[in-house]
């Protein structure tokens, strides 16, 4: 379970005090991150028992955060590298791949390569989430699965059909291909496992890992959700905005975004037939969409010769890059790659959401880049273009430390299968896809016409009674009607009167509204001949 | 003089009790005399004894002794003497009395160890009774016989005279004895203020002094009525609640700790009970042969002796020099003398205090308290509640009785065995009991004393007559005034109605009549009173008869015979009383005039009463008038209110009219405004058109500039679509947004009438839509506007955020706060941290999701045990509760008890030695 954390418990540190303080400061900062929000304010709590318990709980959380912060030091040993200019006049985007390659280590050099596949292009590419495997899909039916770690072609085959998109499913064992008419699922040996006929003429595919959902758009401008663990079609919605092949999923909340020809970006979840959010992003068709791994930023490219980066919290564009882009992708560390024709640009957040050009690259003229994809856990950008595939080095793009519980590039088959089982057990229902997944388990805001629960009614009743008791004014009466017993009785009556409506409400919640009338009507209907029974309801009593 | 009055009072008392047997007076008195002489003789004998024993003082003549008040003391103490062998203190031995602090009286002094040698308590007692007993037996035998003979002879004589069996007289004899006792009591009673006042009679200022005294006495000593049962119960509950709470609150710490501990471990007790080798050794018992031999050797008396001797050698080292001992003794003696002096001083001071200052202080306090009680019913009630509470508390604790379990047990064991603290506690209880008893007795005495109240005084008469005069005058004036004023009649409102007027008149006439009569009466009584004033005091009786003549209610004549009867009886009683002491015989007729005066007073009171009654009547009439007046006054506002109603109505009418007009205007405004709005809309559309044009321009420019070669030549349709794709994008989006808004918050329907409705004439046509329709529509519109404003996307032109509720996701959220939580903030704060293994390091994981209670299967959880808990302790560590372990406290207590018993043993032994 937690072997690695235990094995990596921090040893006692006893260098100079200054160093120690620095370390402590760092630890505190990290611990703050692991506290996942501010400490709850318990001062307003009246319940002393709860207060005590929560205080204890809060202490435990604090300790946990500290332990996690300490563990982080050992679990995340390496930091991402970046191209850093030596003087202010130097620009990182002037640095070419040719000048990078001689500087880096041999292993990294091997990661930058080109594959010339001129016949069956243009190619789309996909990496597996752990960055080990890559799928190549040539438009003219060429499919290949490559182990990029070992530089080994696992399977290569021809489907002799137009291939629009390829996507890995849960792991390297299965992948889905959007072909001319249907979506097919193949295993790593190239065997066709499924032909998903529900989604005809697919244009684009996306896979939601935690929900086991394969999402596709088709030529009929439909959005199609299919559960690949059960095979059920979870949802199939008509977007009503025209067929689109611009699709991306939000890694934070698994919401699917579609870019449309009207310049709109729509966000979807499987449980609602209407888009959650519709944004007018461009004055022209949207050509590409990509999400930042944090889920807060989305980059869109439109035909209006603009690439915009939007903050989804404010719904406003925080940066606009002039130029066309056929494809966009965010790296794990937040680098944005965009490709237009044979030119590739990489933009980087220099802090405070201020994006600046980080690197440029151009492949030989005439090559048209179809897809750009950052390879997870590596500083590599893969380009699928009309003449095959190339990969270039983009320093600082990938996450340097992988979490084997999340994605392990070096996993064994056993680990893989275990992980698969675990993932199946932890599978999230499609309902859990929502704009703010943090609200799961929280108290839902009450809708207007909702019935009150029994407890709430009781609470209200208690409040009302208290109010009546405090406000009740009993007049002084004469002739034996002012006895304490009588006064008490009167008071009690008042209290009962205050209680009455709530008691009635409670009864209603318990029994439901009276159904007497309906039964009578049914009886009447039984008397009638069958042909007239359906009119019985309309007949007045 | 004082003596004589006192005797007189005594006489009265006796006559009350003994009126019936007055016929046998002479004989009984004789018998009594004899008894007294006998007693005297007895006393003499014992006096001699005492003198013998104590060395005694000078023999004083009887008269002197009486003057000193010694005789009375003797008298009172004689009975107690004969009963128990108590010491009788002589005059000269007063200073030899045991010091209060030594006797431990009232526990007023600190307990001081007595350094001086003291005899055991029963030392003297052992000898005395035997001595006295012999004496008594010697002397009293003959006397008793004589007594008996005398009594029998007397009885026989009585029987002869009356013919009643002698048993009856036997009882009477006893009674007489009782009377004697009471007499003795009376003699020792305190001199009352009346006795002191009596000689002042006839002196100037006497009457006022007397009046004041009487007034003081008149103030009735009222007992608080017992609280109602509900109140008593309440008090009871309050007290018991206090105790229960005290008992329960001590658990608070333990419970709090257990509640707040994140986890409770229940564990088996692993403690074997032995902690040290010594502990094991102490519990060792020889079992095997070898062990027994060893034990025998160890307990060999020779060996033990030898060991002891060895110890004696060591004792030699402890030798103290003679000088040291003397020094120590001197020091001790000094200390003792100092202590004694200090005690003496304290005693003196205490004595002074107790005699004067303390008494006065106490009395003052009591007076103030009682005054406050009388003045303030609230305070009285509170006092009652407080007393009730005290009583309830005492009843609950039963501290004043030795009936509690604890007290019984201690008494059973014997007080001597107990330690000082327990003995003190018991003593306290006893004292409390004594106090309460004393209180009870004192209460009874008070009651009896308040019963005796003498009658009124004649000197008050004058003042009272004056007062009556004044009152009458006042009443007369008032009635006259009323008669003058009463003619005014209300002339408006409800009372202006004819039948009301008639009724009013009738009532008024009646009242008038009554008032006139009352006036006449007043005149008559006034005349009488004035006459009285002229005639003087002696003719008051006549006056009273005159009062009778007026025909008003009088109680005078009915009272008179009663008073006379009373007189007679009193005289008889006096006879009875006087018979036993001839000296007092002459004064028997003294109280008679007093009673006559009483009667006078009473009649006068009656007279006054009538006057007061009359006044009351007048006042009642007044009340009627006042009522009428009030009504009259009340009419004013009522009518005005009516007017107000009318006015209000008219106002409302006016207002409603104005409202109509307003509405009309508003509706007209609406009508007028509508077309303008439409024009606005069109304007907007124009604007948007222009906008789109601009966009088109922008787009076109874009398209022109964007002339990069595509890798694929798009088809014609694609091209066309692309060219026109950006067409009117913003407008389209706006339309879309409006659509969705309408979908989620539908626009209210425009109010419309069925064609032809309300169009019979042109007049109706002009009116247009009914008001309520317009209003409703506006309301709906307003609501919609508000709803739209509240939307999340209200601020953004380019964003539509759907507000449809996700029914399917609702099941993933809590409908209400889960149980222990009371605030949403706290709950969500608690939920923010993931507690799973994916998110937390393993070392911290166990603390995060440890269960609340951890126990091994099969372990029985014992009931909670009391423990002292530090309230400032933090409870964030898991608490381990070890089952089967004995709490530490009990063991401590055990050891304490053992020590105590060890201490107590030699003490008791010492006592035993003493007693033997």
């Amino acid at each position: 379970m937690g072997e690695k954390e235990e094995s990596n418990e921090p040893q006692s540190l006893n260098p100079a005090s200054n160093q120690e303080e620095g370390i402590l400061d760092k630890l505190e900062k990290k611990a703050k991150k692991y506290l996942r929000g501010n400490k709850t304010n318990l001062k307003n709590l009246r319940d002393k028992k709860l207060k005590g318990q929560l205080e204890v709980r809060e202490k435990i959380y604090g300790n946990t955060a500290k332990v996690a912060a300490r563990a982080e030091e050992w679990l995340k040993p390496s930091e991402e590298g970046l191209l850093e200019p030596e003087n202010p006049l130097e620009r990182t985007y002037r640095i070419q791949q040719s000048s990078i390659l001689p500087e880096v280590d041999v292993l990294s050099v091997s990661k930058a390569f080109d594959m010339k596949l001129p016949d069956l292009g243009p190619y789309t590419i996909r990496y597996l989430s752990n960055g080990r495997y890559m799928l190549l899909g040539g438009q003219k039916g060429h499919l290949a699965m490559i182990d990029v770690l070992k530089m080994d072609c696992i399977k290569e085959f021809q489907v002799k059909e137009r291939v629009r998109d390829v996507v890995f499913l849960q792991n390297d064992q299965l992948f889905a291909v959007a072909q001319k008419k249907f979506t097919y699922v193949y295993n790593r040996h190239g065997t066709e496992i499924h032909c998903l006929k529900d989604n005809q003429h697919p244009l684009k595919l996306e896979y939601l890992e935690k929900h086991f959902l394969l999402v596709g758009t088709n030529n009929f401008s439909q959005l199609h959700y299919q559960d690949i663990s059960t095979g059920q079609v979870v949802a199939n919605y008509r977007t009503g905005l025209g067929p689109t092949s611009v699709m991306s999923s939000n890694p934070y909340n698994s919401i699917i975004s579609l870019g449309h020809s009207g310049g709109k970006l729509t966000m979807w979840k499987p449980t609602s037939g209407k888009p959650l959010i519709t944004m007018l992003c461009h004055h022209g068709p949207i050509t590409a969409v990509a999400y930042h791994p944090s889920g807060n930023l989305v980059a869109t490219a439109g035909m209006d010769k603009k690439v915009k980066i939007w903050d989804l919290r404010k719904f406003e564009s925080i940066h606009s890059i002039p130029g066309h882009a056929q494809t966009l992708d965010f790296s794990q560390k937040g680098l944005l790659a965009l490709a237009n024709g044979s030119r590739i640009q990489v933009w980087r957040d220099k802090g405070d959401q201020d994006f600046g050009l980080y690197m440029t690259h151009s492949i030989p003229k005439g090559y048209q880049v179809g897809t750009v994809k950052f390879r997870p856990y590596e500083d590599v950008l893969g380009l699928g273009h009309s003449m095959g595939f190339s990969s270039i080095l983009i320093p600082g793009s990938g996450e340097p430390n992988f979490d084997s519980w999340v994605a392990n590039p070096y996993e064994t088959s056993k680990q893989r299968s275990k992980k698969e089982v675990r993932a199946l057990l932890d599978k999230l229902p499609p309902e859990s896809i929502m704009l703010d997944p943090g609200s799961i388990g929280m108290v839902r805001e009450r809708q207007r016409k909702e019935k009150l629960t029994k407890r709430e009614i009781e609470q209200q009743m208690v409040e009302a009674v208290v109010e009546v008791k405090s406000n009740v004014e009993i007049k002084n009466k004469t002739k034996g009607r002012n006895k304490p017993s009588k006064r008490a009785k009167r008071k009690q009556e008042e209290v009962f009167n205050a209680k009455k409506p709530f008691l009635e409400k409670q009864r209603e919640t318990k029994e439901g509204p009276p159904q007497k009338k309906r039964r009578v009507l049914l009886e009447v209907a039984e008397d009638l001949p069958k042909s007239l029974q359906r009119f019985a309801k309309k007949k007045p009593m | 003089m004082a003596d004589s009055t006192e005797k007189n009072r005594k006489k009265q008392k006796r006559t009350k009790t003994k009126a019936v047997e007055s016929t046998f007076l002479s004989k009984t008195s004789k018998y009594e005399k004899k008894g007294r002489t006998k007693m005297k003789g007895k006393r003499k004998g014992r006096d001699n004894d005492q003198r013998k024993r104590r060395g005694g003082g000078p023999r004083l003549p009887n008269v002197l002794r009486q003057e000193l008040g010694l005789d009375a003391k003797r008298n009172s103490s004689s009975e107690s003497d004969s009963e128990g062998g108590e010491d009788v203190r002589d005059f000269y031995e007063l200073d030899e009395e045991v010091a209060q602090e030594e006797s431990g009286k009232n526990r007023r002094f600190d307990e001081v160890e007595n350094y001086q040698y003291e005899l055991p308590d029963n030392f003297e007692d052992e000898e005395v009774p035997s001595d006295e007993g012999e004496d008594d037996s010697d002397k009293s035998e003959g006397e008793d016989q004589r007594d008996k003979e005398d009594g029998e002879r007397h009885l026989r004589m009585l029987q002869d005279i009356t013919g009643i069996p002698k048993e009856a007289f036997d009882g009477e004899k006893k009674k007489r004895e009782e009377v004697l006792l009471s007499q003795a009591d009376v003699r020792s009673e305190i001199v009352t203020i009346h006795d002191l006042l009596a000689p002042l009679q006839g002196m100037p200022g006497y009457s006022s002094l007397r009046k004041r005294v009487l007034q003081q006495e008149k103030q009735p000593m009222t007992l608080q009525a017992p609280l109602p049962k509900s109140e008593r119960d309440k008090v009871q509950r309050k007290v018991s609640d206090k105790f229960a709470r005290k008992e329960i609150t001590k658990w608070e710490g333990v419970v709090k700790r257990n509640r707040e501990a994140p986890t409770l471990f229940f564990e088996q007790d692993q403690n074997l009970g032995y902690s040290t080798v010594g502990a094991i050794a102490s519990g060792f018992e020889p079992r095997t042969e070898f062990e027994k031999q060893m034990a025998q050797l160890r307990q060999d008396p020779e060996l033990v002796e030898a060991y002891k001797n060895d110890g004696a050698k060591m004792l030699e080292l402890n030798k103290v020099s003679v000088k040291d001992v003397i020094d120590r003794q001197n020091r001790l003696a000094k200390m003792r003398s100092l202590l004694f002096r200090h005690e003496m001083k304290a005693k003196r001071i205490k004595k002074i205090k107790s005699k004067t200052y303390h008494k006065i202080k106490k009395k003052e306090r009591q007076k103030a308290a009682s005054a406050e009680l009388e003045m303030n019913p609230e305070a009285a009630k509170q006092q009652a509640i407080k007393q009730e509470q005290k009583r309830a508390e005492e009843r609950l604790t039963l501290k004043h009785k030795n009936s509690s379990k604890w007290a019984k047990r201690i008494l059973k064991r014997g007080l001597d065995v107990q330690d000082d603290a327990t003995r003190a506690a018991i003593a306290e209880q006893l004292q409390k009991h004594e106090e309460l008893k004393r209180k009870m007795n004192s209460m009874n005495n008070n009651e009896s004393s308040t019963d005796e109240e003498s009658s009124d005084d004649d000197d008050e008469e004058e003042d009272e007559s004056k007062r009556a005069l004044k009152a009458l005058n006042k009443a007369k004036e008032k009635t006259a005034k009323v008669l003058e004023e009463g003619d005014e009649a209300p002339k408006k409102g409800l009372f202006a109605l004819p039948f009301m007027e008639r009724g009013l008149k009738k009532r008024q006439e009646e009242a008038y009549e009554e008032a006139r009569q009352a006036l006449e009466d007043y005149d008559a009584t006034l005349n009488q009173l004035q006459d009285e004033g002229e005639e003087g005091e002696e003719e008051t009786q006549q006056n009273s008869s005159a009062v009778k003549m007026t025909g008003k209610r009088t109680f005078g004549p009915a009272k008179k015979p009663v008073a006379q009867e009373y007189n007679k009886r009193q005289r008889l009683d006096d006879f009875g009383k006087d018979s036993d002491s001839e000296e007092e015989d002459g004064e028997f007729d003294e109280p008679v005039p007093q009673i006559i005066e009483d009667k006078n007073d009473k009649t006068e009171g009656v007279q006054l009463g009538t006057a007061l009654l009359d006044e009351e009547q007048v006042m009642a009439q007044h009340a009627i008038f006042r009522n009428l007046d009030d009504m009259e006054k009340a009419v004013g506002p009522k009518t005005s209110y009516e007017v107000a109603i009318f006015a209000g109505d008219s106002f409302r009418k006016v207002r409603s009219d104005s409202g109509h007009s307003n509405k009309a205007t508003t509706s007209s405004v609406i009508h007028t405004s509508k077309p303008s709005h439409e024009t606005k809309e069109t304007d907007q559309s124009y604007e948007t058109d222009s906008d789109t044009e601009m966009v088109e321009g922008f787009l076109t420019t874009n398209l022109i500039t964007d002339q990069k070669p595509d890798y694929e030549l798009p088809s014609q349709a694609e091209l066309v679509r692309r060219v026109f794709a950006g067409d009117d994008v913003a407008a389209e989006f706006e339309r879309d947004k409006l659509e969705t808004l309408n979908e989620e918050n539908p626009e209210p329907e425009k109010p419309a009438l069925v064609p032809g409705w309300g169009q019979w004439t042109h007049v109706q046509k002009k009116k247009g839509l009914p008001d309520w329709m317009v209003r409703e529509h506006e309301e709906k519109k307003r609501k919609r506007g508000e709803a739209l404003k509240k939307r999340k996307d209200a601020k953004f032109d380019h964003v539509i955020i759907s507000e449809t509720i996700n029914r399917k996701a609702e099941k993933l959220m809590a409908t209400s706060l889960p149980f222990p939580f009371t605030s949403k903030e706290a709950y969500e704060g608690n939920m923010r941290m993931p507690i799973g293994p994916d998110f937390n390091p393993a070392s911290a994981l166990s603390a995060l999701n440890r269960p609340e209670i951890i126990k091994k299967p099969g372990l029985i959880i014992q009931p909670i045990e009391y423990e002292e808990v530090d309230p400032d302790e933090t409870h964030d560590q898991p608490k381990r509760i070890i089952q089967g372990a004995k709490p530490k406290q009990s063991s401590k207590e055990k050891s304490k008890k053992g020590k105590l018993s060890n201490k107590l043993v030699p003490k008791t032994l010492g006592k035993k030695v003493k007693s033997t």
Side-chain angles (χ1 to χ4, degrees), chain B residues 123-153:
Chain B
F123 178 73
E124 216 173 9
D125 288 5
E126 275 178 315
E127 279 186 354
V128 169
S130 65
D131 200 42
E132 230 175 19
E134 276 171 20
D135 257 7
D136 266 329
S137 62
D138 281 350
K139 293 198 173 177
S140 62
E141 259 181 25
E143 276 182 347
D144 272 6
Q145 264 187 353
R146 242 185 295 152
D147 260 8
K148 265 184 195 169
E149 277 171 22
D150 248 4
E152 265 176 17
R153 237 185 296 156

Side-chain angles (χ1 to χ4, degrees), chain A residues 284-532:
Chain A
I286 288 177
T287 52
V289 183
Y291 271 99
H292 192 273
S294 72
N296 290 329
L297 300 181
V298 64
T300 57
M303 291 290 261
D304 57 353
K305 211 187 171 190
K306 271 175 188 167
V307 176
K308 285 178 178 172
I309 299 166
W310 300 83
D311 192 334
L312 286 180
R313 294 166 291 195
K314 297 187 281 182
F315 294 110
E316 66 183 32
S317 127
I318 53 166
H319 198 85
S320 182
I321 302 162
H324 283 286
Q326 271 76 46
T327 173
L328 294 168
D329 194 32
F330 267 106
S331 86
Q332 279 177 322
K333 279 291 164 188
L335 302 185
L336 174 66
L338 49 97
N340 178 28
S342 58
R343 294 193 63 81
I344 295 115
Q345 288 181 341
V346 179
W347 293 72
R348 184 176 147 255
D349 184 2
K350 287 187 274 184
D352 294 336
Q353 299 185 329
D354 178 22
F355 280 85
L357 188 57
Y358 177 57
M359 281 184 81
T360 52
H361 182 68
S362 52
I363 49 174
K365 253 193 176 175
Y367 291 8
Q368 299 289 326
V369 176
T371 34
V372 284
K373 286 284 173 200
F374 282 104
R375 185 175 158 196
Y377 304 106
E378 295 288 353
D379 291 346
V380 172
L381 177 68
L383 314 165
H385 48 82
S386 52
M387 288 297 281
F389 169 82
S390 18
S391 72
I392 54 171
L393 294 183
I394 308 290
S397 67
E399 170 69 44
N401 308 297
F402 64 87
D403 184 350
S404 64
W405 294 102
V406 177
N408 185 4
Y410 309 103
E411 75 187 348
T412 60
S413 61
K414 195 139 199 181
Q415 279 174 334
R416 190 206 61 227
S417 60
K418 263 190 181 176
K419 199 185 161 204
E420 196 172 358
V421 171
R422 182 167 274 277
L424 262 173
L425 290 173
D426 290 345
K427 180 183 147 187
L428 296 175
E431 297 92 70
S432 64
I433 298 175
M434 55 180 74
L435 272 175
D436 179 18
S439 69
I440 290 174
M442 298 304 177
V443 180
R444 148 165 65 99
E445 274 170 39
R446 181 164 297 288
Q447 262 76 52
R448 254 162 275 157
K449 285 170 192 171
E450 222 169 339
K451 265 185 190 170
L452 296 165
T453 60
K454 201 176 158 190
R455 229 175 81 198
E456 281 162 342
I457 291 170
E458 243 164 51
Q459 209 172 356
Q460 280 182 2
M461 188 166 78
V462 168
E463 277 167 17
V465 165
V466 166
E467 202 179 328
V468 163
K469 269 187 181 169
S470 60
N471 291 339
V472 75
E473 259 182 41
I474 292 170
K475 284 179 194 166
N476 281 329
K477 295 202 173 179
T478 51
K479 282 197 177 174
R481 275 182 284 173
N482 209 23
K483 283 180 200 162
S485 62
K486 298 245 170 177
R487 287 170 77 89
K489 206 175 175 186
R490 254 181 279 157
K491 205 172 181 181
Q492 230 170 10
E493 255 169 35
E494 295 258 323
V495 168
F496 180 72
N497 283 341
K499 269 186 188 176
K500 220 172 178 180
F502 296 105
L503 292 175
E504 272 167 15
K505 253 190 223 169
Q506 261 185 343
R507 208 179 304 138
E508 266 176 34
T509 51
K510 222 184 264 176
E511 297 165 6
Q515 295 179 338
K516 206 175 172 186
K517 209 172 176 182
R518 204 173 155 198
R519 209 184 303 145
V520 169
L521 281 170
L522 285 174
E523 277 168 22
V524 169
E526 274 167 20
D527 293 343
L528 291 167
K530 207 166 190 182
S531 57
L532 293 176

Side-chain angles (χ1 to χ4, degrees), chain B residues 99 192 331 386 477 511 558 561 677 707 822 848 855:
Chain B
T192 61
R331 207 172 56 238
K386 213 185 249 174
E477 272 171 29
H677 186 68
Q707 278 183 337
T822 47
L848 274 173
K855 76 184 254 301

Side-chain angles (χ1 to χ4, degrees), chain A residues 264 269 324 368 441 444, chain B residues 706 711 736 806 815 827 848:
Chain A
K264 284 184 206 162
K269 64 179 179 182
H324 283 286
Q368 299 289 326
R444 148 165 65 99
Chain B
D706 184 36
Y711 64 93
D736 279 357
N806 190 2
T815 49
Y827 170 65
L848 274 173

Side-chain angles (χ1 to χ4, degrees), chain B residues 816-842:
Chain B
S816 56
L817 280 173
F819 159 59
F821 292 99
T822 47
S823 84
K824 199 178 166 187
E825 196 195 2
Y827 170 65
E828 289 182 353
N830 192 44
M831 286 283 287
R832 71 170 200 277
M833 276 288 270
I835 54 169
D838 294 352
F839 308 92
N840 294 299

